[in-house]
Amino acid sequence: MTHLEVRDLSPEFGAEIIGFDPKAPLDDATRDELRHLFDTRRLLLFRNMDLSHEEQARICTMLIRKGEAETIEAMGSRESFISNKLDDGVAPFGRLQFHGDTMWADNPYQVLSLYGADVGNPVAPTTFVDAVSAWKTLPDDLRRRAEGHEVLQTAGAVRRGDMSSVLLTEVENPPSTVTRINYTHPRTGETVLHICEQMTKNVLGMPEAESEELLTSLFKHLYRADRQLEHNWRKGDFVVFDNIALQHSRGRVTKEGPARTLRKVASPMPRLRPDQMPRWKAEAA
Ligand SMILES: O=C(O)CCC(=O)C(=O)O
Ligand SMILES: [Fe+2]
């Protein structure tokens, strides 16, 4: 068994793992330890990695107990980069508010990972918060007001709070889904405070002002500065995280700034009906 050194990144979540070699055969005990760390720490950081797309995808699926033999073809994972330099780079500029990727889908990604393929200095960090510990620590009065209510999660642009330099992607036919605010995590069974500033439009069956007031109070708790974990990128960093338990945001990126190219792999792909496929329009800051 490989000896892994584990360093917690914050009291609630996140761990840096030292001593893992993604190119070596994975024995059962090491695999079980990594799965346990992923379930309990929700974000794992590996530094100084030399990781292919295939290796990145294999770690993602292994952590959520999908067949280890699953290939990137079977995952439907095209190699894709968040980048301010590549011609086909995703989210090439601007700031991103807190979100979970595909939170607007009926079966959102369970795991998301970013690998620092080309990283200059300084570049904008990615910041994480933990929506499981946020639910656990919610004050009783807020929990009573929120529990059982449903919200609309949409891929359409939601505008709230400070929108300066936020990258807004216009979607012609935004897909959406309805979920409970107290959402049951599909793998761990834990309760997640399942709302985000970027994609949660409103609380169903509540007057608009009351809905926004409740969401704002919940966001204040969820995004409290002392719950945020900032990741400052270096080339070769590999961050893999639970996309349902955690949310992420990022600071402002510019096309002129130092290179910031992160390979993104998610699993499993949500199954969308053809009429749910978003048609992205222009991106505007
Ligand atoms: O650029 C980042 O740090 C995160 C990007 C992101 O959130 C995304 O592409 O979904
Ligand atoms: Fe994202």
Side-chain angles (χ1 to χ4, degrees), residues 229-244:
L229 174 64
E230 195 175 273
H231 180 68
N232 288 294
W233 288 99
R234 288 192 230 151
K235 189 172 155 62
D237 282 355
F238 175 50
V239 178
V240 56
F241 57 96
D242 184 321
N243 180 56
I244 295 171

Side-chain angles (χ1 to χ4, degrees), residues 99 101 112 248 264:
H99 64 282
D101 277 33
L112 198 57
H248 57 286
K264 171 162 146 174

